[in-house]
Amino acid sequence: MRDHREEPALTMPAFVASSLPVIGRLAAARPAVGIALAYADDDAEICEEDRFHLLLVDAEGQTLQRLGPFMEEDVVATWRDLANSAGLVRMIIREDGVLVPVSQQIGRLSLGRIRIRRRHAGLGARRPRFLARRKTGRLPARPQIFRGEAEIIARS
């Protein structure tokens, strides 16, 4: 039989906080307001191609999370998709470091130009089918003019 006193006692590891920012609905979390598109200088120099980062930004303009690097061909589609699915404002970081919103929105509702839902059909200018069978009225080449009469409409 084994003696339980000889086994080493298990100790709980010390809690170490993660260096990652807290994003979400926790008490200490800062909510993400927008997603910014930024040029990645360091990554572009290493691979000699244009590379971009997507940055989750809070209300003060501080970066919460850096996503990427992304290729030039893929970054705009990914940026739009993430902004639409998360309901975040799309932003761009200019060369001078200023954060500029690209689109206006309230929550998930995008503001701006309206989109016409029905397209104008190529056959939309045609006459309706039931009127197409009937001929349109045409004036004669030389209209008849009655002179010297008091009324055109005969009354009895």
Side-chain angles (χ1 to χ4, degrees), residues 48-134:
E48 298 178 1
E49 292 180 355
D50 289 339
R51 298 291 174 133
F52 295 88
H53 286 293
L54 296 178
L55 310 173
L56 287 175
V57 180
D58 65 356
E60 288 87 31
Q62 296 179 354
T63 302
L64 298 175
Q65 185 71 37
R66 181 180 303 265
L67 307 172
F70 293 98
M71 297 286 294
E72 184 179 9
E73 298 86 25
D74 303 333
V75 71
V76 175
T78 307
W79 178 47
R80 287 180 176 170
D81 185 45
L82 284 173
N84 288 338
S85 61
L88 299 174
V89 178
R90 287 183 294 149
M91 301 177 179
I92 291 181
I93 297 181
R94 295 191 315 201
E95 291 179 12
D96 55 356
V98 177
L99 191 65
V100 180
V102 174
S103 60
Q104 296 178 349
Q105 65 186 57
I106 301 172
R108 289 183 171 266
L109 178 65
S110 296
L111 304 175
R113 294 184 295 145
I114 61 168
R115 188 183 73 175
I116 298 174
R117 298 182 72 116
R118 294 183 184 207
R119 295 184 182 165
H120 298 288
L123 304 175
R126 289 185 8 181
R127 292 169 53 100
R129 195 179 310 157
F130 76 96
L131 290 177
R133 293 187 297 249
R134 301 177 185 167

